[in-house]
Amino acid sequence: MSARPGELPRWVDYGLLPAINVTAAFLVSGLVVLAIGENPVEAVRIMLAGALGYAEGIGFTLYYTTNFVFTGLSVAVAFRAGLFNIGAEGQAMVAGIGVALVCLAFDGAPWWLVFPFAFAASLLFGAAWAFVPGWAQARRGSHVVITTIMFNFIASVLMVYLLVNVIGKPGAMSPETRTIAEATRLPLMRDMLKPLGIDIGASPLNPTFLIAIMALVLVWVMIWRTRLGYEMRAVGINPTAAVYAGIDPGRIVIVAMLVSGALAGLLAVNEVMGVQHRLLLEFTAGAGFVGIAVALMGRAHPAGIALAAFLFGVLYQGGAELAFEKPKITRDMVVVIQGLVILFAGALERMVRPALERLFAPRAAAAAAAES
């Protein structure tokens, strides 16, 4: 494919630019660590060792990565259709209600029997919660950013009502359901890997990680190898031109939001059926919002999202180890470091781009002209 004027080569756009942004974020984070009297090099060493230095740490890192893959893909699919879905948090919450209802209804049944129904419930409930914002954007012109923000709050209130008044554990002080029977829970990867001589300790990694990998592949196929993906990209780039090509932008907006909500809903399988074994009020732990940063950093491409989700998995797991090893670097400081990565990868993404365009875009345009 020929490069358009001003367009960066792919290796710069998808590789070099995110690497520069992440490096800048870590340099600023190092200054923050230095300001409180700690050695930033030592802090990075502890963070990497905690996330990747031993098998149990890797297990926790991949567990966090699983959640971020689902929410990152959710945001990315909407991006491709020109939508900014920031409602993955609410869509995952509502999907959690669906997964919990299925697991509690079949409580005690073998997990392999319950899993297909829980999986379908996560997709359906997540997609259903994204339908109204998508329909309102497509048919009534309501901006999806506003409606998905509202739906995040509505989902939170709905969770409180249901956990307190309808499906909550009787007599419990905290808003949560009763615990799912052991037979109905997803098996842990540690039990599967032990016969192979691999010990990942007490990490909560479960087969949902494999579903995350499949989701990455399937989304790539959908976006770049199907007619639906072509129509999504056409609407995302130029809705007016898409109409001339015979595409109904309203239909594509609704379908993109349904797919986006369904992907966010898969987080509930990992958390409710695989790790928490009950429905908790804030089981999503902000993963829906992290998905926005993952999609931005990953350039809305499944390969980039896999890398970005893994980076945030390292930050979450390594950050917990860092807060434990260095009491002066509190958990809040780790959140600041994560926030800086989001800031440089998202809001300041165009800070370096103009310089790279001046450096690389003329070469790309010349190469394209030589090919034509």
Side-chain angles (χ1 to χ4, degrees):
M1 179 184 291
S2 299
R4 295 191 297 271
E7 186 180 23
L8 289 171
R10 286 192 175 186
W11 70 272
V12 177
D13 201 9
Y14 290 94
L16 184 60
L17 183 58
I20 291 174
N21 287 331
V22 171
T23 303
F26 276 109
L27 286 175
V28 176
S29 303
L31 294 176
V32 174
V33 172
L34 202 60
I36 62 170
E38 292 288 352
N39 185 341
V41 176
E42 176 71 4
V44 170
R45 188 196 65 76
I46 293 172
M47 186 176 281
L48 291 178
L52 306 171
Y54 62 110
E56 186 175 351
I58 294 173
F60 271 97
T61 299
L62 295 180
Y63 151 65
Y64 289 122
T65 301
T66 302
N67 285 342
F68 300 147
V69 164
F70 290 138
T71 55
L73 286 176
S74 167
V75 178
V77 167
F79 272 168
R80 289 293 172 188
L83 303 167
F84 194 14
N85 174 25
I86 56 175
E89 185 81 2
Q91 290 145 20
M93 279 186 196
V94 174
I97 296 170
V99 174
L101 289 175
V102 168
C103 290
L104 293 174
F106 291 93
D107 205 15
W111 73 268
W112 50 266
L113 188 63
V114 179
F115 177 73
F117 298 100
F119 182 78
S122 71
L123 296 175
L124 289 174
F125 277 66
W129 202 247
F131 171 74
V132 175
W135 177 85
Q137 163 94 30
R139 304 303 183 205
R140 291 291 180 269
S142 304
H143 203 289
V144 77
V145 171
I146 304 299
T147 50
T148 48
I149 289 175
M150 290 171 57
F151 268 62
N152 281 341
F153 284 110
I154 296 171
S156 182
V157 173
L158 180 64
M159 285 277 287
V160 172
Y161 174 77
L162 291 176
L163 287 174
V164 172
N165 298 295
V166 183
I167 58 174
K169 184 179 178 182
M173 296 298 290
S174 59
E176 63 183 47
T177 62
R178 60 183 165 83
T179 306
I180 301 166
E182 191 167 349
T184 309
R185 304 171 189 171
L186 281 180
L188 294 170
M189 294 286 278
R190 66 188 182 209
D191 297 327
M192 301 177 180
L193 295 174
K194 249 179 195 169
L196 304 175
I198 303 173
D199 184 5
I200 56 173
S203 71
L205 189 66
N206 61 72
T208 318
F209 173 67
L210 303 177
I211 296 175
I213 295 174
M214 289 172 60
L216 287 165
V217 176
L218 291 176
V219 167
W220 180 84
V221 170
M222 183 191 74
I223 295 293
W224 277 277
R225 289 292 183 271
T226 67
R227 178 173 178 172
L228 174 62
Y230 168 77
E231 291 178 342
M232 281 185 184
R233 287 182 285 133
V235 171
I237 293 171
N238 192 329
T240 305
V243 172
Y244 280 105
I247 300 170
D248 177 4
R251 180 181 65 85
I252 294 301
V253 164
I254 294 173
V255 171
M257 283 300 291
L258 289 174
V259 175
S260 179
L263 286 166
L266 288 174
L267 179 150
V269 178
N270 187 34
E271 287 295 329
V272 177
M273 194 175 181
V275 179
Q276 308 294 343
H277 306 141
R278 62 194 187 283
L279 183 63
L280 297 169
L281 185 57
E282 296 180 343
F283 75 92
T284 53
F289 299 118
V290 175
I292 298 171
V294 169
L296 285 170
M297 187 179 293
R299 322 296 295 165
H301 190 286
I305 287 168
L307 294 174
F310 183 70
L311 172 65
F312 274 89
V314 170
L315 286 174
Y316 265 64
Q317 170 56 19
E321 293 279 344
L322 183 61
F324 180 77
E325 292 284 338
K326 296 281 185 183
K328 287 178 74 175
I329 304 176
T330 62
R331 185 67 189 164
D332 292 334
M333 284 284 300
V334 175
V335 173
V336 169
I337 295 171
Q338 294 164 357
L340 284 169
V341 174
I342 294 172
L343 178 69
F344 278 87
L348 299 180
E349 190 269 342
R350 290 200 61 81
M351 183 175 67
V352 183
R353 177 178 281 274
L356 292 178
E357 285 178 350
R358 285 193 295 275
L359 187 62
F360 290 101
R363 298 181 188 179
E371 287 176 9
S372 59

